Amino acid sequence: MANVIDITGLPQERVVFCPSPLAELSAALHALSEPGHHPGLHGWVTATNAALKTDLADRLCEADFLWRSTRSDILLPARPGATLAEDLDELDKIDDERFVASAFEINCSASYTRCTPSPLVDANERARVREMAAARGPRQAAFTDRMLTDPDGLRVWLRRLFEDCEDAFFGDIWRRVGVQLAADARHKTELLRHKGLAETLPATSAALSLEETATGARILVDKLAVGRTTAYADPGDPGVTFVPTSFGWPHLLVSHAPGWRPVLQYPVADTELPATATLELIQQRLEALGHPMRMQLCRTLSRGPHTTGELATAFGITSPEVSRHIATLKKAGLIQTRRRGRYVLHQLDLQVVARLGSDFLEGVLR
């Protein structure tokens, strides 16, 4: 599975790496509303939530559908500014119809990859959006009504909310991490210039790769979600924008709505972060452990190394049967094998198995 971005014929200079204060603020707001996604940020989340004034905390709850389950496209600028004010100025330039349609894209849209009419101008879409918002509780229903009946007033309210977040906590965050994110973006830009996109993508994230064929080139994003877009989705501004984040892990966000320039928000490299496992490898390991006999073998191999003959005797099966199970586990990277004289010993790789749960969680949250 993968998200695919067609970049056939795209000049290299149209691939942009740039930090965005608004995108980083939205990542921070997501972590505050979904701390379970970000166990490494629990200390910061607890302290920040405790320090929020009641009025600001209540307003954040009103609008959190814009960043809670995933981020709305309006929070991932294709052309980031140097300050939050600049990002918000660009946000103000989006017309009401597109702004409102994009705000509801994640929670209330019938299809993210298919253009739907704006609820501001289409009565059926407006009714459907209101019904879906009502199913998510009275708070989102009230916010939705405000956006549909007074989009200009709601947009002023939302900008003020973000500005108050900057005063309350995000200004200090951006002064601390903005320099790091800018340095990462410069490094990726230099790597792109000197080594090309094929080397830059995996250096950005292990979930990114370039597929080149005789007919074109595509960026592949290893995610459970499946989507397709093109670097020419916005004819007036073709390209792809990569936005680094210090709050994002384990998420790798891809904004690819019709008519919008693709934007990818990637977590900056951190030596403390675990290596990213491919979704194919995670599935292979889970399937390898799905057989009851292989589970029994793993129990024995977790306690020490054993030969094929010892395992066959212990479980009352033939050596060829053991070998087939061992081959499956070994192909999935779950066991280690070493030779001692004429004996071949197998043992469970405890570190790999211990990471399986977190690999799975990272994969589904990616």
Side-chain angles (χ1 to χ4, degrees):
M1 294 185 182
N3 278 252
V4 178
I5 304 173
D6 189 344
I7 58 169
T8 302
L10 185 72
Q12 186 169 282
E13 60 268 19
R14 303 298 298 184
V15 177
V16 177
F17 286 85
C18 185
S20 162
L22 178 58
E24 190 69 353
L25 172 57
S26 71
L29 292 175
H30 169 73
L32 288 175
S33 60
E34 285 287 3
H37 290 191
H38 306 273
L41 297 175
H42 276 182
W44 175 83
V45 167
T46 301
T48 302
N49 276 326
L52 289 178
K53 293 182 179 180
T54 302
D55 172 66
L56 179 56
D58 287 343
R59 285 186 288 150
L60 287 174
C61 286
E62 285 186 63
D64 71 354
F65 81 94
L66 293 173
W67 55 75
R68 188 179 189 100
S69 61
T70 187
R71 243 69 56 77
S72 170
D73 288 341
I74 60 176
L75 303 178
L76 294 171
R79 287 293 184 182
T83 65
L84 181 62
E86 291 180 14
D87 275 351
L88 295 177
D89 287 343
E90 289 301 309
L91 193 59
D92 288 341
K93 295 178 183 178
I94 301 176
D95 65 76
D96 283 349
E97 289 183 17
R98 192 170 193 182
F99 183 95
V100 171
S102 300
F104 294 131
E105 231 158 19
I106 299 302
N107 280 325
C108 298
S109 176
S111 172
Y112 177 72
T113 58
R114 187 174 65 250
C115 285
T116 55
S118 172
L120 289 183
V121 297
D122 187 280
N124 291 332
E125 183 67 11
R126 185 163 57 252
R128 193 184 59 78
V129 163
R130 278 192 163 124
E131 182 179 355
M132 294 188 71
R136 286 161 174 77
R139 194 183 292 269
Q140 183 168 336
F143 188 88
T144 298
D145 278 337
R146 289 175 61 193
M147 185 171 283
L148 293 175
T149 57
D150 182 20
D152 290 336
L154 193 282
R155 291 176 68 165
V156 171
W157 180 91
L158 193 60
R159 176 167 184 143
R160 180 59 184 272
L161 174 65
F162 292 148
E163 291 171 342
D164 288 348
C165 287
E166 183 175 35
D167 292 338
F169 64 91
F170 183 70
D172 291 337
I173 290 173
W174 187 249
R175 282 187 288 274
R176 187 178 75 249
V177 307
V179 174
Q180 175 195 9
L181 299 182
D184 185 87
R186 285 195 301 271
H187 170 69
K188 298 300 190 304
T189 301
E190 288 300 307
L191 188 62
L192 177 64
R193 181 178 296 122
H194 296 293
K195 298 292 186 179
L197 193 58
E199 290 195 30
T200 305
L201 289 176
T204 301
S205 169
L208 297 174
S209 61
L210 180 67
E211 180 182 78
E212 295 181 281
T213 66
T215 57
R218 309 186 304 169
I219 295 173
L220 303 181
V221 188
D222 187 30
K223 289 172 66 75
L224 281 171
V226 177
R228 289 181 174 273
T229 189
T230 169
Y232 303 93
D234 180 356
D237 186 27
V240 183
T241 301
F242 290 84
V243 179
T245 173
S246 61
F247 280 88
W249 191 88
H251 305 305
L252 178 63
L253 293 188
V254 186
S255 168
H256 57 89
W260 293 70
R261 175 176 176 149
V263 179
L264 291 91
Q265 188 183 44
Y266 65 93
V268 294
D270 190 323
T271 55
E272 296 182 1
L273 293 180
T276 298
T278 66
L279 294 174
E280 182 181 3
L281 180 58
I282 295 170
Q283 182 176 352
Q284 185 180 28
R285 287 174 173 171
L286 292 174
E287 289 175 349
L289 294 173
H291 194 285
M293 178 52 69
R294 288 196 283 271
M295 286 285 287
Q296 290 292 328
L297 291 172
C298 285
R299 181 175 183 272
T300 298
L301 294 175
S302 68
R303 301 178 179 186
H306 290 74
T307 66
T308 299
E310 289 172 338
L311 295 170
T313 300
F315 290 98
I317 59 177
T318 66
S319 291
E321 286 180 285
V322 172
S323 295
R324 286 193 293 272
H325 288 308
I326 291 294
T328 299
L329 293 169
K330 188 174 181 179
K331 187 176 181 181
L334 295 170
I335 65 171
Q336 298 172 326
T337 298
R338 70 178 188 273
R339 180 174 291 277
R340 180 180 294 165
R342 64 188 183 90
Y343 298 103
V344 177
L345 300 170
H346 310 289
Q347 187 168 11
L348 192 67
D349 191 327
L350 298 181
Q351 289 186 333
V352 169
V353 176
R355 269 205 45 78
L356 188 56
S358 54
D359 281 343
F360 172 77
L361 186 60
E362 190 271 343
V364 297
L365 289 178
R366 187 184 305 161

